[in-house]
Amino acid sequence: MGHDSATTALRINEDEGTGPVRSYIESLPDAGPVSYIGAPRSPQRVATSELFSDMAAGRSQLTSDQRRELIEEATVLAQENDLIQRHGGTWDPNTVNPGQMARLRLMQVTVGVKHARGPEGLRDLTDEFLREEDPERRERLGQVLLDEAEMAEQLRAGEQVRDFSGLRAADDGGPMYAGYAVSKYERTERVYGRELTQEIRQDLRRARQDGFIPPSYTVRVNQSGSSSMHQSINVTITPPEGHSPFFRGRQWSFGEIEEVPTEKPSDSIVRQRIETLVNS
C-alpha cells in the first residue's frame, strides 16, 4: 500500500478496530495498471487486509490447521510462479501474480515469528522457500515455517509469564529482554567460581520453569577457573530430540550456489535469551 493509505489504515485500526480497517483496505481503488495489493476485493487484496490486521495485533490469529492450509496454497502458487519464471511467461494482469500471492501467504503464516538477526533472518527462510524448485526441499521448508509459527506462540507465552518485577530494564526497553541485560551485576559483582555458576544455573532453571526458555531445550552450565581473571562459563544448549536448529539454506558464493547451515528463527531467539540471561 501507499504511505497515505497505510497511515489511514493504522488510524482506523486504532480508532475503530480491525473490522473497519479491513473493509477500508479491501475497497481501496487500484493504485494503477498493476496494483501490488490486487484489485478491490480480490483474493490478494483480502489476504493483504488479513495480514495487516494480524501485524497490527503483533501475532497470527490463525489456527494450526489454517496455517497448514496457507502453506499448501503457497506451495501450489510457488510452483505456478516457477513455470512463469522458467518459460518467461506472463500471467493475466486481471488475476493475481502467483509469486506475490505465495509471499503474502508465507507472511501471514509467519506473523509474530522473530529472529535474533531481525527481519533478515526470517526473510532468508521465506526467500529460500520461494526460490526452491525441488518439491521435497520445498515441502521440508514449508514444515520449518509451520514449526516456527508454532514455536513463536510458545515463546510469546513465555514472555508474558516471566516476572520482571524488581529487575532493571534492559537498554533496549523491549519486553522480551527487559530485566536481564546486566541486571544482576551489582549483586554478583564479587561472586566467582562455583557460586557464580550456581547463580546462573538457578536463573536458567527458573527461566525454563516459566517457559521463557522452552522446557524441551536442555541447558547445561560448566565453569573452569575460579578467579575474576581466569574464569570461563560454558553453556551447552541441547535442542529437543530429533530437532535440528538449522536448515540447509543456499547462497551465492564466488559466482556459485553453495549450501550452508542457517539457524532457524526460534532457535536464534532461544539462544539469544540464554546468552542474555548468562550475561546478566
Side-chain angles (χ1 to χ4, degrees):
M1 288 183 291
H3 180 267
D4 290 343
S5 298
T7 302
T8 302
L10 282 170
R11 187 167 59 249
I12 294 172
N13 184 77
E14 184 175 345
D15 295 341
E16 303 179 44
T18 58
V21 76
R22 286 193 56 189
S23 297
Y24 166 75
I25 293 173
E26 289 172 28
S27 61
L28 278 171
D30 278 328
V34 179
S35 175
Y36 287 103
I37 58 172
R41 307 195 187 283
S42 67
Q44 189 172 353
R45 184 71 67 93
V46 172
T48 301
S49 73
E50 291 171 347
L51 176 61
F52 186 96
S53 62
D54 276 2
M55 291 178 70
R59 61 186 295 272
S60 175
Q61 309 294 327
L62 303 169
T63 66
S64 297
D65 289 342
Q66 287 172 324
R67 282 195 288 263
R68 184 169 295 279
E69 288 175 4
L70 289 183
I71 287 290
E72 291 172 356
E73 183 182 343
T75 300
V76 173
L77 289 163
Q79 290 169 348
E80 293 176 7
N81 192 57
D82 292 343
L83 292 173
I84 292 173
Q85 297 299 322
R86 280 200 299 268
H87 300 133
T90 59
W91 72 100
D92 183 344
N94 296 316
T95 63
V96 176
N97 178 301
Q100 289 181 356
M101 193 69 190
R103 186 175 292 278
L104 266 177
R105 291 312 193 192
L106 296 178
M107 290 174 70
Q108 284 181 267
V109 169
T110 56
V111 168
V113 176
K114 301 175 182 176
H115 195 287
R117 289 199 292 114
E120 296 79 10
L122 180 59
R123 195 178 298 122
D124 288 345
L125 185 53
T126 53
D127 286 349
E128 182 73 11
F129 179 95
L130 292 169
R131 284 197 307 267
E132 184 56 61
E133 295 187 12
D134 180 81
E136 284 190 28
R137 283 181 59 95
R138 184 173 272 157
E139 183 179 356
R140 288 199 298 271
L141 288 167
Q143 186 58 51
V144 169
L145 288 165
L146 289 172
D147 292 343
E148 290 301 320
E150 295 291 333
M151 180 60 77
E153 294 292 329
Q154 296 180 37
L155 293 175
R156 188 176 298 105
E159 288 176 31
Q160 295 166 353
V161 169
R162 190 67 167 163
D163 180 11
F164 300 114
S165 59
L167 299 177
R168 194 167 67 211
D171 292 339
D172 63 4
M176 183 181 295
Y177 309 112
Y180 288 104
V182 248
S183 60
K184 302 175 183 65
Y185 172 76
E186 293 167 0
R187 181 168 58 82
T188 59
E189 184 176 6
R190 300 187 183 281
V191 177
Y192 308 111
R194 182 178 299 177
E195 188 179 355
L196 177 59
T197 305
Q198 186 61 26
E199 288 275 354
I200 294 172
R201 283 202 187 104
Q202 289 175 356
D203 204 10
L204 290 170
R205 189 179 300 118
R206 285 193 296 268
R208 290 182 75 238
Q209 290 170 350
D210 291 346
F212 188 72
I213 300 171
S216 52
Y217 287 76
T218 303
V219 183
R220 181 170 298 174
V221 184
N222 296 300
Q223 61 92 17
S224 60
S226 58
S227 72
S228 60
M229 299 297 292
H230 303 93
Q231 178 175 18
S232 82
I233 301 291
N234 306 302
V235 180
T236 304
I237 308 170
T238 304
E241 184 178 356
H243 170 75
S244 171
F246 297 93
F247 71 95
R248 299 295 294 178
R250 295 179 179 180
Q251 67 179 26
W252 282 97
S253 178
F254 301 106
E256 295 182 354
I257 287 286
E258 64 175 14
E259 290 199 352
V260 294
T262 304
E263 189 175 35
K264 294 177 182 175
S266 61
D267 291 275
S268 79
I269 293 296
V270 171
R271 174 181 52 76
Q272 191 175 67
R273 288 185 180 187
I274 291 172
E275 288 175 353
T276 307
L277 280 164
V278 174
N279 290 337
S280 70

